[in-house]
Amino acid sequence: QFTRVAELLTNEESMEIDFVDLNLGCPIDMICEKGAGASLMLRERKLKASLVGILNVLQCPVTIKMRTGWNEKEPIAHQLVPKIQSWGIDGIGAVMIHGRSRLQRYSRVAKWDYIAKVASSQKPDLQQIPVIGNGDIFSYTDYEEKILNQINNGEEGDGGNASNLLPTAMLGRGALIKPWLPTEIKERRHWDISASERFDMLKDFVKFGLEHWGSDQQGLNQTRRFLLEWLSFLHRYVPVGLLEVTPQYMNQRPPNNMCGRSDLETMMMSKNCADWIKISEMLLGPVPEGFLFEPKHKANSY
């Protein structure tokens, strides 16, 4: 199936592909039950055949995202990555490690010391695969503490074996909650972004959505649905100016009924779906009578 998808991509002449990611990190039950997502970490023959098939068809690099393993007590990524390395398959651009197991999903903190262990687990006499870490990066200080410190410690402690851990990161929830996070990391600052600046980002999102899906009723409905899904993440951000201690950490839940420095900022921090719908009406007009929204993302962890 993966090879067939790769063939479909190559048939799209107008499509320019920078890279393709094979996702071994998805923890969702319906995906894993079909042998895909995180369960593919446990199916080495299938994984190898998939990589060979994809890279025989595509001309672009392929990256592999995975978790630490199936459960927290028995991590396997430090064994799987050297095995992938030993297969000698050309075209693997990088391996991205989310520092949690499949069963953890998003609970507890990501294990960056284990990510560094995976990066240093490769055989020195074979071609090295770059490793990119993922998990709980929510500020520039998170980036520096979790990534740069691991790299520096590895270089000092074991002769540079941790150099396979690249000085970059894969951003997931952090970028959904704080789309300006890459700017914070680049400029090394905690950005006290205003509610009006954040609202301008929503305006751009809506504009791009209507350009993509169309400005008819169907396009408007689709744009609103994706906007509301995004707002189900955006409300988790607590403005820097309201924090007693910086930075905010990924899994910290803000207190209920927080008040912002303006009505708009307060509404943007609301956990109430009805307030997200009001924000969507400010951008896309009134919703139909009886309209309801429930976010797809229902993880217990933050």
Side-chain angles (χ1 to χ4, degrees):
Q1 289 179 334
F2 292 116
T3 305
R4 178 60 183 143
V5 172
E7 289 172 347
L8 291 172
L9 291 175
T10 58
N11 291 336
E12 291 290 333
E13 295 180 2
S14 61
M15 187 180 295
E16 294 182 7
I17 304 171
D18 295 322
F19 70 97
V20 168
D21 183 54
L22 186 59
N23 188 358
L24 280 60
C26 180
I28 303 302
D29 291 340
M30 66 178 293
I31 302 297
C32 291
E33 287 167 1
K34 294 178 179 178
S39 67
L40 200 53
M41 291 185 70
L42 310 176
R43 305 173 66 199
E44 292 178 8
R45 289 176 60 188
K46 175 69 173 176
L47 174 59
K48 182 178 181 180
S50 298
L51 287 169
V52 170
I54 292 169
L55 284 163
N56 279 341
V57 173
L58 296 178
Q59 301 300 313
C60 65
V62 170
T63 59
I64 307 167
K65 188 192 176 191
M66 65 178 70
R67 289 185 172 245
T68 59
W70 192 260
N71 64 68
E72 186 178 7
K73 294 181 180 179
E74 298 177 353
I76 61 170
H78 68 288
Q79 298 167 337
L80 183 57
V81 169
K83 197 161 287 186
I84 293 171
Q85 180 198 25
S86 71
W87 294 339
I89 303 171
D90 290 332
I92 297 176
V95 172
M96 293 172 278
I97 309 291
H98 181 169
R100 293 182 176 88
S101 70
R102 184 263 169 175
L103 295 181
Q104 278 183 273
R105 300 204 176 203
Y106 301 97
S107 63
R108 296 188 287 280
V109 296
K111 293 188 174 179
W112 278 87
D113 55 344
Y114 181 75
I115 293 172
K117 178 180 178 179
V118 175
S120 63
S121 67
Q122 298 183 56
K123 299 177 178 68
D125 55 330
L126 297 177
Q127 183 174 345
Q128 304 294 293
I129 302 174
V131 174
I132 298 172
N134 167 237
D136 298 345
I137 302 293
F138 203 42
S139 65
Y140 86 87
T141 50
D142 281 339
Y143 169 77
E144 294 185 352
E145 289 169 7
K146 290 178 169 64
I147 300 172
L148 299 186
N149 285 354
Q150 290 290 350
I151 292 172
N152 293 336
N153 291 341
E155 289 174 348
E156 292 170 6
D158 57 20
N161 285 342
S163 61
N164 290 325
L165 182 61
L166 296 185
T168 186
M170 180 180 180
L171 304 178
R173 288 177 298 163
L176 280 171
I177 300 167
K178 290 171 58 176
W180 55 93
L181 178 56
T183 301
E184 286 192 349
I185 293 173
K186 180 180 180 182
E187 299 179 0
R188 304 187 71 245
R189 65 180 174 121
H190 300 300
W191 183 1
D192 190 10
I193 186 169
S194 68
S196 60
E197 288 175 300
R198 291 161 62 202
F199 193 71
D200 285 342
M201 292 182 181
L202 298 183
K203 287 180 181 176
D204 285 339
F205 182 88
V206 166
K207 178 182 132 191
F208 297 143
L210 295 176
E211 285 176 358
H212 181 70
W213 285 298
S215 55
D216 58 1
Q217 190 62 48
Q218 185 175 353
L220 189 146
N221 292 346
Q222 191 81 324
T223 301
R224 191 189 305 275
R225 182 171 74 84
F226 277 89
L227 173 64
L228 289 169
E229 292 288 355
W230 190 25
L231 287 168
S232 75
F233 284 92
L234 286 172
H235 81 278
R236 302 179 186 186
Y237 169 69
V238 178
V240 171
L242 300 181
L243 294 173
E244 292 184 359
V245 178
T246 56
Q248 177 186 0
Y249 292 104
M250 179 74 75
N251 289 341
Q252 286 180 325
R253 295 175 185 260
N256 291 323
N257 304 316
M258 281 192 71
C259 290
R261 295 163 292 188
S262 67
D263 290 342
L264 180 59
E265 192 168 72
T266 300
M267 187 181 294
M268 285 181 156
M269 287 192 291
S270 172
K271 300 176 182 178
N272 190 337
C273 292
D275 287 324
W276 309 342
I277 293 171
K278 286 178 187 175
I279 293 173
S280 83
E281 290 183 313
M282 294 165 68
L283 295 159
L284 291 165
V287 297
E289 188 175 344
F291 178 87
L292 295 172
F293 170 74
E294 185 176 349
K296 262 188 183 178
H297 184 76
K298 300 175 184 176
N300 291 326
S301 55
Y302 225 58

